[in-house]
């Protein structure tokens, strides 16, 4: 056997192209077509499911109504909130009507009487220290002790500046002149006819009228700002509420007006003295209010 023949015998014979190969290609084509069809079917099924999910699952409104008709069906409640647009003038009128019909709420200030009494005692101690410094100044001045008198004068001015009650220079002058009239030649305070100094009398008159006002009730707003005939007073400590007529309580403006008239009567229609008592009136100190707006 020649070398060429041996070489030809060692080579693989190529696979002949026949009917079996053609059938294999047809089966592969069928599988691809089936796979493509299944993918398309899955896509269509997914689209159908997404479409069904997107549709609302609540009850569909199926009624036909006209404006002015009487509703003949069961109550229909919307599953969501929506705005009702109204004419601005109508809306403002409705708001005004609600304000006029709804009583205002006020919170009762606890221990109002005790706080007012503590405020009076603090002011009185400060005034006593102020005029004690003034009496010491006069005493040292009469005895020729200039250095001690200067120190007392500085202490007097410092105490006046830091006092809780705020008076005008003219009011301080009136109080000092009244107090000086009660100091004898030895620099000692002498009560004439058993009468207390002006600052004591003014403070006691302010306290006396303050008690009367507090017993009735004092609002922390002007009374004419309350648009209803009644108010609701809430006691947060006792967790109770009570209804009061607005005419039975004082507002801030009404309290100061009534206090001014009262002090004028007590001090013989002397406005300069009544103004001092009004300055002692504790309404603006925060310790006097008994009803605070909620």
């Amino acid at each position: 056997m020649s070398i060429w023949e041996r070489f030809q015998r060692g080579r693989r014979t190529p696979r002949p192209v026949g009917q079996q190969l053609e059938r294999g290609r047809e089966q592969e084509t069928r599988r691809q077509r089936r796979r493509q069809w299944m993918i398309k079917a899955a896509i269509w099924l997914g689209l159908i499911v997404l479409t069904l999910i997107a549709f609302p699952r609540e009850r569909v409104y199926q009624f036909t109504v006209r404006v002015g008709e009487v509703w003949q069906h069961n109550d229909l409640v919307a599953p969501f909130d929506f705005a009702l647009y109204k004419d601005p003038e109508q809306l403002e009128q409705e708001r005004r009507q609600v304000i006029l019909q709804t009583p205002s709420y006020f919170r009762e200030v606890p221990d109002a009487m005790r706080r007012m009494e503590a405020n009076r005692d603090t002011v009185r101690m400060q005034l006593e220290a102020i005029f004690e410094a003034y009496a010491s100044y006069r005493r040292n001045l009469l005895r020729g002790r200039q250095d001690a008198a200067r120190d007392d004068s500085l202490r007097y001015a410092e105490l006046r500046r830091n006092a809780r009650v705020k008076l005008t220079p003219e009011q301080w002058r009136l109080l000092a002149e009244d107090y000086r009239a009660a100091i004898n030649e030895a620099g000692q305070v002498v009560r004439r006819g058993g009468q207390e100094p002006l600052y004591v009398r003014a403070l006691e008159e302010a306290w006396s009228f303050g008690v009367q006002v507090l017993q009735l009730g004092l609002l922390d707003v002007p009374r004419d700002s309350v648009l209803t005939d009644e108010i609701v007073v809430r006691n947060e400590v006792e967790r109770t509420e009570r209804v009061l007529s607005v005419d039975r309580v004082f507002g801030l403006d009404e309290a100061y007006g009534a206090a001014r008239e009262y002090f004028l009567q007590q001090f013989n229609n002397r406005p300069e003295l009544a103004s001092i008592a009004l300055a002692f009136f504790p309404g603006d100190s925060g310790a006097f209010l008994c009803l605070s707006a909620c």
Side-chain angles (χ1 to χ4, degrees):
M1 182 180 296
S2 64
I3 297 175
W4 176 253
E5 291 177 349
R6 293 180 180 177
F7 177 77
Q8 291 293 334
R9 290 182 63 182
R11 293 181 58 183
R12 292 184 177 181
T13 304
R15 185 177 181 182
V17 178
Q19 295 180 355
Q20 293 182 354
L21 182 60
E22 293 296 332
R23 292 194 190 96
R25 289 180 178 178
E26 292 178 359
Q27 292 177 358
E28 183 68 22
T29 302
R30 291 175 183 174
R31 283 196 295 267
Q32 290 179 356
R33 289 177 180 175
R34 188 181 300 110
R35 188 182 302 112
Q36 292 176 358
W37 183 86
M38 292 177 65
I39 293 175
K40 292 180 180 179
I43 293 174
W44 278 104
L45 182 61
L47 291 175
I48 293 173
V49 172
L50 290 176
T51 303
L52 293 175
I53 294 175
F55 276 100
R57 286 171 288 180
E58 289 82 5
R59 185 177 58 179
V60 179
Y61 184 80
Q62 299 177 346
F63 305 101
T64 302
V65 295
R66 289 190 295 269
V67 177
E69 281 188 346
V70 178
W71 182 254
Q72 301 292 336
H73 310 281
N74 295 331
D75 293 342
L76 188 64
V77 180
F80 52 86
D81 296 332
F82 55 91
L84 292 178
Y85 295 97
K86 293 186 178 182
D87 182 73
E89 294 183 358
Q90 180 185 359
L91 186 60
E92 184 62 27
Q93 183 179 0
E94 291 179 359
R95 289 175 177 172
R96 184 73 176 176
Q97 191 68 22
V98 171
I99 293 175
L100 292 175
Q101 294 178 353
T102 305
S104 300
Y105 277 75
F106 287 84
R107 181 176 56 255
E108 188 170 355
V109 177
D111 300 330
M113 185 69 71
R114 182 187 58 80
R115 293 170 59 186
M116 189 176 73
E117 185 175 0
N119 178 75
R120 178 202 61 180
D121 294 342
T122 299
V123 172
R124 181 161 186 165
M125 286 189 297
Q126 290 179 344
L127 291 173
E128 288 175 351
I130 290 171
F131 289 104
E132 188 278 329
Y134 181 77
S136 179
Y137 160 75
R138 295 290 302 176
R139 186 164 50 249
N140 288 320
L141 188 64
L142 292 174
R143 295 176 181 177
R145 302 173 182 173
Q146 299 298 327
D147 292 341
R150 184 179 63 254
D151 293 341
D152 290 333
S153 177
L154 293 175
R155 182 161 60 95
Y156 169 71
E158 181 71 14
L159 291 172
R160 272 180 42 174
R161 183 166 54 251
N162 296 329
R164 174 174 294 185
V165 62
K166 303 302 178 184
L167 301 177
T168 65
E170 178 63 20
Q171 290 171 335
W172 281 117
R173 185 188 66 79
L174 290 174
L175 291 177
E177 288 181 354
D178 174 83
Y179 197 82
R180 183 172 57 191
I183 300 177
N184 58 17
E185 296 179 356
Q188 298 176 344
V189 179
V190 179
R191 296 180 181 178
R192 298 180 179 179
Q195 190 176 33
E196 296 282 357
L198 176 60
Y199 79 87
V200 176
R201 288 183 283 128
L203 185 61
E204 289 302 320
E205 292 295 345
W207 161 260
S208 176
F209 188 76
V211 171
Q212 298 178 42
V213 173
L214 198 63
Q215 289 175 346
L216 292 176
L218 176 65
L219 310 178
D220 62 347
V221 296
R223 191 168 62 184
D224 55 7
S225 66
V226 180
L227 303 180
T228 56
D229 296 332
E230 296 178 338
I231 60 173
V232 178
V233 179
R234 178 179 298 167
N235 189 318
E236 296 182 348
V237 177
E238 300 177 357
R239 298 183 180 276
T240 59
E241 291 183 354
R242 54 195 174 98
V243 180
L244 292 179
S245 173
V246 176
D247 297 332
R248 294 183 54 188
V249 298
F250 282 97
L252 281 178
D253 295 344
E254 293 78 16
Y256 276 102
R260 188 178 295 105
E261 295 296 328
Y262 175 81
F263 297 146
L264 281 174
Q265 295 177 4
Q266 298 302 313
F267 290 100
N268 300 320
N269 290 323
R270 295 184 60 183
E272 68 278 9
L273 302 184
S275 66
I276 296 175
L278 190 63
F280 292 156
F281 190 59
D284 60 348
S285 67
F288 186 46
L289 300 175
C290 68
L291 300 177
S292 177
C294 293

